[in-house]
Amino acid sequence: MACKRGALIVLEGVDKAGKTTQCKKLVQALQQSGRPAEMMRFPDRSTTIGQLISAYLENKSDLEDHTVHLLFSANRWELVPLMKRKLEQGISLVVDRYAFSGVAFTSAKPVSLLLLV
């Protein structure tokens, strides 16, 4: 019997909007209904790239804005193989922030661009 693919569910929103609380409740509800589910959060500070992001967010390192944007993107990409494996195993992933947050936060931060004419 083939295993059904898990669902990828992403909750996006600003800080302190209740994303983490709702993600936990959703995972619990899925599990109680007999569906395997796990929660993931981004940025994932446990990875090598995530540790660089963490240092930046804690004002322990000074990184150029474009570099930070790329690190957030790389942090998501480095976990894609794990996410695919879990989804293929039938585990639904409830994700606290993903790509849209990166776009929103990058867009909100003023970035000075040097245009060469």
Side-chain angles (χ1 to χ4, degrees):
M1 181 173 174
C3 181
K4 282 187 172 181
R5 184 183 184 281
L8 177 62
I9 303 165
V10 177
L11 276 70
E12 298 277 5
V14 297
D15 290 346
K16 306 297 181 196
K19 296 175 307 302
T20 301
T21 299
Q22 294 305 313
C23 284
K24 288 177 183 178
K25 287 183 177 191
L26 181 53
V27 167
Q28 185 179 31
L30 289 168
Q31 290 172 341
Q32 287 175 346
S33 70
R35 294 180 179 101
E38 295 180 12
M39 181 175 156
M40 296 183 80
R41 296 181 71 185
F42 285 94
D44 182 330
R45 297 180 185 208
S46 69
T47 68
T48 302
I49 292 170
Q51 290 171 8
L52 293 170
I53 293 168
S54 187
Y56 171 78
L57 293 174
E58 295 168 5
N59 292 318
K60 294 179 181 174
S61 72
D62 184 31
L63 297 171
E64 198 275 334
D65 290 339
H66 296 90
T67 303
V68 174
H69 174 74
L70 291 172
L71 287 174
F72 274 93
S73 179
N75 186 235
R76 293 186 299 271
W77 280 108
E78 71 182 330
L79 291 169
V80 166
L82 173 66
M83 293 171 74
K84 282 184 176 181
R85 269 195 311 280
K86 288 182 181 288
L87 292 169
E88 289 167 358
Q89 293 169 358
I91 300 168
S92 289
L93 298 176
V94 179
V95 184
D96 184 341
R97 288 199 174 136
Y98 201 61
F100 290 117
S101 288
V103 171
F105 284 102
T106 299
S107 299
K109 185 164 182 159
V111 178
S112 59
L113 297 174
L114 174 62
L115 300 175
L116 299 175
V117 182

